């Protein structure tokens, strides 16, 4: 019998194995799972059968909307409705919290299930990868390491459309010295967090600020697989990265369930924190 229960820290190794199997990759998800548990401890579920973890899913609740991610079922247990049971339980949890909208990026494999549960198409994210030969962006504006978390969180909330202070608390601790802040003479500003494999969250009120942040971030990059996930609304962001040699790797379908909030600041979001963090 399949049981749905909360994900605990002690489940991470098994859940990592489930996701590697479901996504057909040797890349570990353990670090990300620990991060997501730290940001939203009550938002992650596993499916358990015969004392073994066989599936998982989770969400981060930002109030105005939630981001759903890390959906996966072990390949030898697929086709039995376990994914539907997991996601249905998660959506019921979000409904109980009064979250009006759930958002996610969908694989081709998962899209039919999401649509059956009420998700509809809502644009794309464009994923670009670090080029082999990096062209340095112009450092036309001074960029420094951010020291005031509240300042970054306020600017991010303005652009992202929801408060992510819990996320920034984690990032300022885990990525100390790698959260960057830039401001021009007119008082416009931007921020960028250099995570291990991702440039983001990254927002900027002007393209010049975004370019300055990119130039300052490149020396801090640690992984050749570093990527940026640009919302469809920010065509300038995609053009900036491609101008500097970043390669468009894939376009990922975005889906939502429930009334979609107005998000005018997304045209100034140059990179998501991840597909789970938004």
């Amino acid at each position: 019998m399949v049981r749905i229960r909360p994900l605990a820290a002690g489940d991470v190794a098994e859940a990592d194995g489930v996701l590697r199997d479901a996504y057909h990759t040797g890349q570990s998800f353990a670090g990300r799972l620990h991060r997501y548990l730290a940001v939203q401890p009550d938002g992650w579920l596993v499916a358990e059968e015969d004392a073994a973890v066989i599936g998982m899913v989770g969400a981060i609740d930002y109030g105005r909307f939630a981001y759903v991610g890390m959906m996966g079922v072990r390949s030898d247990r697929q086709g039995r409705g376990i994914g539907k049971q997991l996601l249905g339980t998660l959506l019921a949890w979000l409904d109980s919290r009064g979250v009006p909208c759930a958002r996610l990026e969908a694989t081709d494999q998962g899209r039919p299930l999401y649509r059956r549960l009420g998700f509809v198409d809502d644009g794309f994210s464009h994923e670009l990868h670090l080029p082999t030969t990096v062209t340095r962006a112009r450092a036309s504006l001074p960029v420094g390491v951010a020291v005031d978390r509240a300042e970054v969180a306020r600017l991010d909330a303005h652009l992202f459309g929801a408060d992510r202070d819990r996320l920034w608390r984690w990032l300022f601790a885990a990525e100390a010295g790698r959260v960057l802040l830039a401001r021009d003479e007119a008082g416009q500003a931007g921020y960028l967090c250099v995570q291990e494999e991702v440039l983001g969250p990254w927002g900027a009120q002007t393209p010049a600020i975004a370019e300055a942040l990119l130039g300052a971030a490149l020396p801090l990059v640690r992984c050749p697989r570093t990527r940026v996930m640009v919302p469809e609304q920010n065509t300038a962001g995609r053009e900036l990265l491609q101008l500097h040699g970043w390669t468009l790797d894939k376009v990922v379908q975005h889906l939502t369930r429930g009334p979609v909030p107005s998000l005018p600041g997304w045209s100034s979001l140059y990179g998501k924190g991840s597909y789970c963090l938004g």
Side-chain angles (χ1 to χ4, degrees):
M1 178 179 177
V2 175
R3 179 169 72 105
I4 308 298
R5 63 169 177 80
L7 172 73
D11 300 316
V12 166
E14 276 194 282
D16 179 38
V18 167
L19 293 172
R20 291 194 203 199
D21 176 67
Y23 296 160
H24 309 293
T25 179
Q27 186 177 355
S28 176
F29 297 87
R32 277 175 275 181
L33 290 174
H34 282 298
R35 173 178 58 192
Y36 301 152
L37 274 171
V39 175
Q40 185 80 56
D42 56 347
W44 302 88
L45 302 173
V46 296
E48 185 179 63
E49 186 176 47
D50 298 329
V53 173
I54 60 170
M56 75 156 292
V57 72
I60 297 178
D61 175 7
Y62 292 125
R64 293 185 70 204
F65 50 86
Y67 255 88
V68 176
M70 289 294 174
M71 175 78 185
V73 175
R74 213 170 71 188
S75 58
D76 63 346
R77 297 294 196 278
Q78 293 175 7
R80 295 172 45 192
I82 296 169
K84 182 178 180 180
Q85 188 177 351
L86 273 164
L87 187 54
T89 303
L90 181 71
L91 294 175
W93 176 75
L94 291 174
D95 290 343
S96 74
R97 295 169 66 90
V99 181
C101 176
R103 307 169 66 82
L104 56 80
E105 268 82 13
T107 62
D108 291 340
Q109 183 180 4
R111 193 176 297 116
L113 169 61
Y114 301 136
R115 286 177 172 155
R116 286 198 298 272
L117 290 176
F119 285 85
V120 297
D121 293 352
D122 185 31
F124 301 89
S125 292
H126 297 85
E127 183 175 310
L128 297 95
H129 280 75
L130 185 73
T132 304
T133 303
V134 177
T135 301
R136 291 296 179 93
R138 293 175 295 172
S140 55
L141 296 169
V143 179
V145 174
V147 294
D148 187 341
R149 190 198 76 248
E151 179 184 13
V152 173
R154 282 194 300 270
L155 178 57
D156 177 64
H158 174 67
L159 299 182
F160 183 68
D163 182 4
R164 293 195 285 185
D165 187 60
R166 286 172 296 154
L167 170 61
W168 286 108
R169 286 178 185 273
W170 193 93
L171 289 172
F172 266 73
E175 302 292 354
R178 296 187 178 92
V179 179
L180 305 176
L181 182 68
R183 191 180 302 277
D184 65 17
E185 293 181 353
Q188 301 284 81
Y191 56 88
L192 192 162
C193 180
V194 184
Q195 297 188 67
E196 186 172 356
E197 297 181 357
V198 173
L199 294 189
W202 177 11
Q205 292 178 301
T206 72
I209 293 173
E211 188 170 30
L213 287 163
L214 177 61
L218 290 175
L220 302 177
V221 167
R222 291 161 282 172
C223 175
R225 296 189 304 273
T226 294
R227 57 192 174 132
V228 179
M229 294 150 285
V230 186
E232 182 185 27
Q233 293 92 326
N234 191 349
T235 55
R238 191 167 70 254
E239 290 170 359
L240 171 65
L241 287 159
Q242 291 179 315
L243 176 66
H244 291 286
W246 289 67
T247 302
L248 179 62
D249 185 63
K250 59 184 174 181
V251 179
V252 182
Q253 180 74 55
H254 199 111
L255 284 84
T256 59
R257 173 184 179 266
V260 180
S262 174
L263 298 171
W266 277 47
S267 60
S268 297
L269 291 180
Y270 285 75
K272 298 183 178 184
S274 77
Y275 287 130
C276 287
L277 295 171

